[in-house]
Amino acid sequence: MDQDSHCTGERELLEAVSRITTSSTTSPSDEEENQPKAGISFQVRKENPEKDDTQDSSATLSPNSSMTTKELQEYWRKEKRQCKQIKLLFEIPSARIVEHHLSKYVMYKIIILQTGSFDSNKSVIERRYSDFEKLHRNLLEEFSEEMEDVTFPKKTLTGNFTEEIINERKLAFKDYLRLLYSMKYIRRSKKFIDFLTRPELQEAYGCLRGGQYTKALEILLEVIGLQERLTRGNPVAVVPTLCAIVVCHKDLENPASAFEYGEKALSRLRVHSSHRYYIPLLDTMITLAYELGKDFLSLQEKLEEWKTKKDPVRVFTLKELAVREYVR
């Protein structure tokens, strides 16, 4: 169910509860009070069979027949605040012409920020026309029906580097990204997410493989926020990046920071013990916990428990896994 319809359902329910409160002049008996509340509880289950990828899955409250009308009102106020979908806004404020050996092209600066509040963690990337063109071709292969009415700026034989054409394309690409993001299945697709994150991740992993851990860490920390926002409905997707950050911090002798990001990765693998990163991460976390004087016995128990359930296999270290990511 889309977030807008979910919010509308909650708004209608809140208004209905308000009418019940306004029309009540005497305190109802327990039997009378239970009847409307049971009906509301049933309606919620019917209208909200599942939550969207942007909904907080850890909500502690739920409407039920034991709630008073006042409690239901407060519940829906909280739900209404939570149901605001976190959206991303795309801006292309500038572009630059790049001349490299015999090639010449325009790089468009894309700023990606979160709407609804001040975003101090905006992401800045650069892409050229051919990158957008490749994205469009890839999306047409998988989402031909959804892409029927999506227009793409055509190439021109001349004038590609004029200020007029560059400004036109800045606006066109901004609208293009906004439209793609508005379509749920496209914004969740690997092809769309890769367009916005893969070049930076490839560069970061290249630095990691070359032992440039400071540079790799700098890029990874910049991209992880955007990657988390784009994969909100699939938290496991960011585990490789989190683990690469762990590897960089560990090799830079920052065990506390390595442990912090390791905990974030482990929390996403809590119900995914068969994931290829789970055991290498556990093993690294045990070493870090011991070094930091933290509890490592619980981590050791999880590792031993996994070993008793699985046949002995060759398990890569966390660093060995990391250097294998994004190998062309």
Side-chain angles (χ1 to χ4, degrees):
M1 178 179 292
D2 284 334
Q3 199 72 15
D4 292 341
S5 59
H6 178 53
C7 293
T8 301
E10 292 174 347
R11 197 159 47 242
E12 290 173 352
L13 285 169
L14 184 57
E15 290 170 357
V17 173
S18 298
R19 288 196 294 273
I20 292 172
T21 306
T22 305
S23 62
S24 299
T25 55
T26 58
S27 298
S29 64
D30 289 342
E31 182 179 354
E32 292 171 336
E33 194 174 32
N34 282 337
Q35 289 177 357
K37 283 180 289 188
I40 291 171
S41 179
F42 169 78
Q43 190 176 5
V44 170
R45 288 195 296 270
K46 182 178 179 182
E47 292 187 1
N48 187 21
E50 63 179 3
K51 295 185 182 237
D52 192 68
D53 60 323
T54 56
Q55 187 79 10
D56 183 5
S57 60
S58 61
T60 57
L61 288 175
S62 61
N64 56 64
S65 58
S66 65
M67 278 184 167
T68 65
T69 303
K70 184 176 180 180
E71 288 172 335
L72 274 170
Q73 286 180 309
E74 181 59 28
Y75 169 79
W76 286 121
R77 286 193 192 98
K78 290 180 179 179
E79 283 292 297
K80 188 176 180 181
R81 287 194 293 269
Q82 290 179 357
C83 78
K84 283 188 177 180
Q85 184 179 357
I86 295 176
K87 297 181 180 179
L88 297 183
L89 181 67
F90 298 88
E91 296 289 344
I92 304 183
S94 61
R96 62 188 179 94
I97 298 174
V98 177
E99 297 190 51
H100 184 67
H101 297 303
L102 300 177
S103 63
K104 184 179 180 181
Y105 52 88
V106 179
M107 292 292 288
Y108 296 89
K109 180 180 180 180
I110 306 169
I111 297 178
I112 309 162
L113 60 158
Q114 181 178 310
T115 62
S117 61
F118 175 73
D119 188 1
S120 60
N121 296 315
K122 64 184 179 183
S123 301
V124 181
I125 60 176
E126 284 189 316
R127 296 292 182 268
R128 54 190 290 189
Y129 181 95
S130 60
D131 295 325
F132 281 98
E133 192 176 38
K134 181 180 178 181
L135 169 66
H136 192 69
R137 287 198 309 268
N138 289 339
L139 291 177
L140 282 174
E141 292 175 2
E142 188 174 351
F143 304 102
S144 57
E145 187 174 339
E146 291 87 343
M147 298 284 290
E148 277 182 350
D149 299 322
V150 178
T151 58
F152 187 80
K154 293 181 180 180
K155 275 187 176 179
T156 58
L157 295 176
T158 59
N160 286 306
F161 303 103
T162 65
E163 185 177 354
E164 181 182 1
I165 292 296
I166 291 174
N167 286 334
E168 284 180 4
R169 286 184 175 172
K170 279 162 51 180
L171 293 173
F173 284 142
K174 172 187 171 181
D175 290 340
Y176 178 73
L177 290 174
R178 177 190 56 80
L179 183 56
L180 293 182
Y181 186 76
S182 71
M183 293 183 274
K184 181 169 65 175
Y185 293 108
I186 290 182
R187 73 169 173 261
R188 292 178 179 176
S189 71
K190 185 178 185 300
K191 291 174 180 178
F192 182 69
I193 294 170
D194 278 353
F195 168 78
L196 295 170
T197 61
R198 189 177 181 88
E200 286 71 26
L201 288 171
Q202 285 178 324
E203 182 183 0
Y205 279 95
C207 292
L208 192 156
R209 282 188 289 274
Q212 298 174 279
Y213 301 114
T214 301
K215 180 62 175 176
L217 183 60
E218 178 185 334
I219 300 170
L220 290 167
L221 291 175
E222 285 180 0
V223 77
I224 186 65
L226 175 59
Q227 197 179 19
E228 286 178 324
R229 293 173 185 178
L230 291 167
T231 60
R232 193 173 297 275
N234 180 22
V236 176
V238 300
V239 166
T241 306
L242 288 171
C243 288
I245 293 174
V246 172
V247 169
C248 290
H249 274 305
K250 189 172 182 296
D251 278 45
L252 290 170
E253 299 183 358
N254 300 324
S257 296
F259 191 85
E260 176 189 348
Y261 280 92
E263 285 188 314
K264 291 180 181 180
L266 270 183
S267 70
R268 287 160 171 78
L269 296 177
R270 189 170 290 117
V271 293
H272 300 279
S273 59
S274 61
H275 195 281
R276 60 197 172 97
Y277 270 90
Y278 182 69
I279 293 307
L281 179 59
L282 262 184
D283 194 50
T284 299
M285 290 294 284
I286 290 169
T287 302
L288 290 169
Y290 181 80
E291 183 179 349
L292 294 167
K294 295 180 179 288
D295 171 33
F296 64 89
L297 294 179
S298 59
L299 296 170
Q300 187 70 48
E301 287 174 2
K302 290 179 182 178
L303 181 61
E304 296 302 325
E305 181 183 354
W306 183 89
K307 287 181 178 179
T308 59
K309 294 179 180 179
K310 303 287 183 180
D311 295 328
V313 292
R314 164 78 167 97
V315 177
F316 292 107
T317 66
L318 198 66
K319 188 172 183 178
E320 287 173 337
L321 274 183
V323 298
R324 283 168 168 77
E325 294 284 348
Y326 294 95
V327 176
R328 291 179 182 271

